[in-house]
Amino acid sequence: MAKKKKNRRGEDWTPPPKSAERLAAEGRWARDAELARLPPVPPRRAILGMFAMGVVALAVFLGFLLPSQFTVDDLRSSGATVAAEVVDTRTNKYGDLSAVEVRFRTPSGEVEAELHDWGGKQPEGLSPGSTVSVTYSPQDPKTVMTTGWVVDPPGMTFPALVCLLVTVFLTVVPTLAAVRRFALLKKKEKIVASHEA
């Protein structure tokens, strides 16, 4: 009786070679899995929108400070100083002075005008009937500011500071997002290229 041969098929069996379609599909699966693990790419529209809002905030910030600085420079160079009576004051909803109207005499006659603000802020401690030293422009007496502010303007005002902080935020955040977007897109390109090679 002949001996049965041992079945060695399990030991030396190798799987058949994969078809090109199968290899391509596995490559796509691996590529898609790597891409899925990447964090989302910041959208370009959001980055550009934040930059645009940052430019607007910067314009508002400059709108608060530059006109006041130009007025101070003009009044320092050619202004005339007189005593003025506070005629009227108005406050905003937060209780801060929003407008101060003064009356003073010039060589051309009596003038009533609103004090020029500094960065959206009015001088404190003024009430109707009180007297304050003001400096006005002889060419345009309606351009008037307290003499104290002409000599020593206040520093950063609250409205200007808020605009500055918003400007910084709306500039730094989209810059970081743009850098992150660029890095993620480069990483995606490398992943796709490595699986196509």
Side-chain angles (χ1 to χ4, degrees), residues 57 60-61 64-65 118-120 155-167:
V60 174
F61 170 72
F64 272 123
L65 290 188
W118 175 269
M156 189 74 70
T157 61
F158 181 73
L161 179 61
V162 169
C163 288
L164 179 61
L165 293 176
V166 170
T167 300

Side-chain angles (χ1 to χ4, degrees), residues 45-179:
R45 184 176 295 177
I47 294 171
L48 294 177
M50 289 187 76
F51 267 126
M53 289 188 291
V55 170
V56 171
L58 177 61
V60 174
F61 170 72
L62 295 176
F64 272 123
L65 290 188
L66 291 183
S68 302
Q69 188 61 58
F70 293 151
T71 301
V72 165
D73 292 342
D74 290 344
L75 293 177
R76 281 178 179 172
S77 62
S78 61
T81 300
V82 295
E85 178 191 358
V86 177
V87 178
D88 189 24
T89 59
R90 291 190 297 279
T91 57
N92 58 25
K93 61 182 179 180
Y94 304 108
D96 299 323
L97 281 177
S98 60
V100 178
E101 189 174 338
V102 294
R103 182 189 302 127
F104 56 93
R105 295 197 66 79
T106 71
S108 304
E110 195 171 76
V111 175
E112 283 193 14
E114 284 189 6
L115 288 177
H116 197 289
D117 65 288
W118 175 269
K121 179 181 178 181
Q122 291 287 346
E124 297 175 355
L126 299 179
S127 57
S130 61
T131 303
V132 62
S133 176
V134 298
T135 301
Y136 69 93
S137 169
Q139 292 79 25
D140 179 17
K142 295 282 186 182
T143 302
V144 59
M145 187 179 275
T146 59
T147 305
W149 279 13
V150 173
V151 174
D152 184 22
M156 189 74 70
T157 61
F158 181 73
L161 179 61
V162 169
C163 288
L164 179 61
L165 293 176
V166 170
T167 300
V168 171
F169 176 80
L170 291 175
T171 303
V172 172
V173 170
T175 300
L176 296 176
V179 171

